Amino acid sequence: MEVDVKVDMKNIEEKFADPNYSRGRYALANQMLADMNPFVPKKEGDLRQATSINIDASAVNYHMKYAKKQFYEQHRNYTTPGTGPRWDLKAKGMYGKDWINAFVKGARLN
């Protein structure tokens, strides 16, 4: 028995082109930043406000001097309930699927 398979590849290069991939990464980074924000410790709000995304959307950055310590070390008293270290993992557990969807939509893969 013979089977003839035809695959339409005319749009595949366009879908995976760098501009689409870049848009997807940017959408993903923005969604991650928004979803992580409620879990970032907030005494005065400075840490939540002093953020940026790399130009290539490869990282979300927190610019306060104490950001690294807050991110990695557990402290006794957090003034805002639900906040603490490793806010990325907390947000990922709740919103990880949304992050995938943000990339897919941003990259126009759907």
Side-chain angles (χ1 to χ4, degrees):
M1 180 161 110
E2 189 174 310
V3 177
D4 188 23
V5 177
K6 293 182 182 180
V7 179
D8 183 5
M9 303 282 282
K10 66 182 175 184
N11 293 327
I12 196 78
E13 286 182 17
E14 181 181 318
K15 281 193 178 252
F16 289 100
D18 191 50
N20 288 341
Y21 182 72
S22 295
R23 270 193 305 276
R25 282 177 61 150
Y26 187 74
L28 169 62
N30 275 294
Q31 188 66 52
M32 290 174 70
L33 181 60
D35 291 341
M36 289 188 292
N37 202 39
F39 303 107
V40 175
K42 178 188 176 189
K43 187 171 187 177
E44 297 171 8
D46 296 338
L47 182 56
R48 292 183 181 187
Q49 300 303 318
T51 60
S52 68
I53 297 170
N54 286 4
I55 195 159
D56 65 351
S58 62
V60 174
N61 305 297
Y62 293 85
H63 300 288
M64 299 305 291
K65 291 180 183 179
Y66 56 87
K68 184 176 181 178
K69 188 172 186 175
Q70 289 290 323
F71 186 77
Y72 288 110
E73 295 179 19
Q74 178 74 36
H75 299 279
R76 281 190 179 173
N77 299 320
Y78 290 96
T79 57
T80 307
T83 63
R86 293 311 306 255
W87 51 80
D88 61 327
L89 298 178
K90 291 177 188 176
K92 181 182 176 185
M94 293 177 72
Y95 303 107
K97 291 181 182 177
D98 295 336
W99 296 355
I100 294 168
N101 292 336
F103 176 82
V104 169
K105 185 175 180 182
R108 300 176 183 164
L109 295 175
N110 52 354

PDB file of all heavy atoms in Angstrom, residues 8 26 45 52-53 55 70 82 87 97 110:
ATOM      1  N   ASP A   8       2.553  21.332   3.668  1.00  0.00           N
ATOM      2  CA  ASP A   8       2.613  22.724   3.230  1.00  0.00           C
ATOM      3  C   ASP A   8       3.563  23.484   4.156  1.00  0.00           C
ATOM      4  O   ASP A   8       3.263  23.727   5.314  1.00  0.00           O
ATOM      5  CB  ASP A   8       1.224  23.351   3.278  1.00  0.00           C
ATOM      6  CG  ASP A   8       1.211  24.778   2.770  1.00  0.00           C
ATOM      7  OD1 ASP A   8       2.251  25.256   2.282  1.00  0.00           O
ATOM      8  OD2 ASP A   8       0.142  25.407   2.860  1.00  0.00           O
ATOM      9  N   TYR A  26       9.434  38.976  24.197  1.00  0.00           N
ATOM     10  CA  TYR A  26       9.051  40.237  24.833  1.00  0.00           C
ATOM     11  C   TYR A  26       7.702  40.094  25.541  1.00  0.00           C
ATOM     12  O   TYR A  26       7.524  40.540  26.676  1.00  0.00           O
ATOM     13  CB  TYR A  26       9.015  41.356  23.794  1.00  0.00           C
ATOM     14  CG  TYR A  26       8.798  42.714  24.387  1.00  0.00           C
ATOM     15  CD1 TYR A  26       9.816  43.363  25.077  1.00  0.00           C
ATOM     16  CD2 TYR A  26       7.569  43.352  24.281  1.00  0.00           C
ATOM     17  CE1 TYR A  26       9.620  44.614  25.643  1.00  0.00           C
ATOM     18  CE2 TYR A  26       7.365  44.598  24.845  1.00  0.00           C
ATOM     19  CZ  TYR A  26       8.389  45.224  25.512  1.00  0.00           C
ATOM     20  OH  TYR A  26       8.185  46.455  26.077  1.00  0.00           O
ATOM     21  N   GLY A  45       7.822  49.735  48.221  1.00  0.00           N
ATOM     22  CA  GLY A  45       7.475  49.595  46.817  1.00  0.00           C
ATOM     23  C   GLY A  45       8.606  49.837  45.845  1.00  0.00           C
ATOM     24  O   GLY A  45       8.440  49.657  44.644  1.00  0.00           O
ATOM     25  N   SER A  52      13.320  46.265  34.979  1.00  0.00           N
ATOM     26  CA  SER A  52      13.434  46.418  33.530  1.00  0.00           C
ATOM     27  C   SER A  52      13.525  45.041  32.891  1.00  0.00           C
ATOM     28  O   SER A  52      13.742  44.042  33.570  1.00  0.00           O
ATOM     29  CB  SER A  52      14.665  47.253  33.150  1.00  0.00           C
ATOM     30  OG  SER A  52      15.851  46.544  33.462  1.00  0.00           O
ATOM     31  N   ILE A  53      13.370  45.030  31.592  1.00  0.00           N
ATOM     32  CA  ILE A  53      13.531  43.816  30.798  1.00  0.00           C
ATOM     33  C   ILE A  53      14.682  44.064  29.844  1.00  0.00           C
ATOM     34  O   ILE A  53      14.766  45.146  29.241  1.00  0.00           O
ATOM     35  CB  ILE A  53      12.237  43.497  30.022  1.00  0.00           C
ATOM     36  CG1 ILE A  53      11.100  43.224  31.004  1.00  0.00           C
ATOM     37  CG2 ILE A  53      12.430  42.326  29.082  1.00  0.00           C
ATOM     38  CD1 ILE A  53       9.734  43.137  30.360  1.00  0.00           C
ATOM     39  N   ILE A  55      16.908  44.250  26.558  1.00  0.00           N
ATOM     40  CA  ILE A  55      16.461  44.646  25.226  1.00  0.00           C
ATOM     41  C   ILE A  55      16.102  43.445  24.353  1.00  0.00           C
ATOM     42  O   ILE A  55      15.212  43.513  23.521  1.00  0.00           O
ATOM     43  CB  ILE A  55      17.499  45.553  24.528  1.00  0.00           C
ATOM     44  CG1 ILE A  55      16.874  46.245  23.342  1.00  0.00           C
ATOM     45  CG2 ILE A  55      18.740  44.767  24.127  1.00  0.00           C
ATOM     46  CD1 ILE A  55      17.584  47.489  22.901  1.00  0.00           C
ATOM     47  N   GLN A  70      17.063  39.932  48.804  1.00  0.00           N
ATOM     48  CA  GLN A  70      15.632  39.674  48.951  1.00  0.00           C
ATOM     49  C   GLN A  70      15.197  38.471  48.110  1.00  0.00           C
ATOM     50  O   GLN A  70      14.321  37.717  48.506  1.00  0.00           O
ATOM     51  CB  GLN A  70      14.807  40.897  48.546  1.00  0.00           C
ATOM     52  CG  GLN A  70      14.898  42.046  49.507  1.00  0.00           C
ATOM     53  CD  GLN A  70      14.198  41.755  50.819  1.00  0.00           C
ATOM     54  OE1 GLN A  70      13.167  41.114  50.871  1.00  0.00           O
ATOM     55  NE2 GLN A  70      14.778  42.242  51.906  1.00  0.00           N
ATOM     56  N   GLY A  82       2.224  37.224  51.686  1.00  0.00           N
ATOM     57  CA  GLY A  82       2.348  36.529  50.402  1.00  0.00           C
ATOM     58  C   GLY A  82       3.622  36.829  49.645  1.00  0.00           C
ATOM     59  O   GLY A  82       3.856  36.272  48.579  1.00  0.00           O
ATOM     60  N   TRP A  87      10.353  34.834  44.245  1.00  0.00           N
ATOM     61  CA  TRP A  87       9.035  35.184  43.722  1.00  0.00           C
ATOM     62  C   TRP A  87       8.821  34.654  42.319  1.00  0.00           C
ATOM     63  O   TRP A  87       7.690  34.464  41.891  1.00  0.00           O
ATOM     64  CB  TRP A  87       8.791  36.687  43.795  1.00  0.00           C
ATOM     65  CG  TRP A  87       9.886  37.535  43.208  1.00  0.00           C
ATOM     66  CD1 TRP A  87      10.084  37.812  41.898  1.00  0.00           C
ATOM     67  CD2 TRP A  87      10.920  38.211  43.925  1.00  0.00           C
ATOM     68  NE1 TRP A  87      11.185  38.627  41.746  1.00  0.00           N
ATOM     69  CE2 TRP A  87      11.718  38.894  42.981  1.00  0.00           C
ATOM     70  CE3 TRP A  87      11.247  38.322  45.274  1.00  0.00           C
ATOM     71  CZ2 TRP A  87      12.810  39.666  43.329  1.00  0.00           C
ATOM     72  CZ3 TRP A  87      12.342  39.094  45.622  1.00  0.00           C
ATOM     73  CH2 TRP A  87      13.109  39.753  44.665  1.00  0.00           C
ATOM     74  N   LYS A  97       1.545  28.260  32.796  1.00  0.00           N
ATOM     75  CA  LYS A  97       0.817  27.999  31.541  1.00  0.00           C
ATOM     76  C   LYS A  97       0.458  29.299  30.835  1.00  0.00           C
ATOM     77  O   LYS A  97       0.482  29.362  29.601  1.00  0.00           O
ATOM     78  CB  LYS A  97      -0.430  27.166  31.813  1.00  0.00           C
ATOM     79  CG  LYS A  97      -0.104  25.751  32.223  1.00  0.00           C
ATOM     80  CD  LYS A  97      -1.335  24.924  32.472  1.00  0.00           C
ATOM     81  CE  LYS A  97      -0.934  23.525  32.917  1.00  0.00           C
ATOM     82  NZ  LYS A  97      -2.075  22.691  33.244  1.00  0.00           N
ATOM     83  N   ASN A 110       0.027  30.675  17.056  1.00  0.00           N
ATOM     84  CA  ASN A 110      -1.266  30.000  17.094  1.00  0.00           C
ATOM     85  C   ASN A 110      -2.108  30.304  15.879  1.00  0.00           C
ATOM     86  O   ASN A 110      -1.842  31.072  15.057  1.00  0.00           O
ATOM     87  CB  ASN A 110      -2.041  30.349  18.364  1.00  0.00           C
ATOM     88  CG  ASN A 110      -2.161  31.839  18.594  1.00  0.00           C
ATOM     89  OD1 ASN A 110      -1.578  32.641  17.878  1.00  0.00           O
ATOM     90  ND2 ASN A 110      -2.880  32.194  19.621  1.00  0.00           N
TER      91      ASN A 110
END
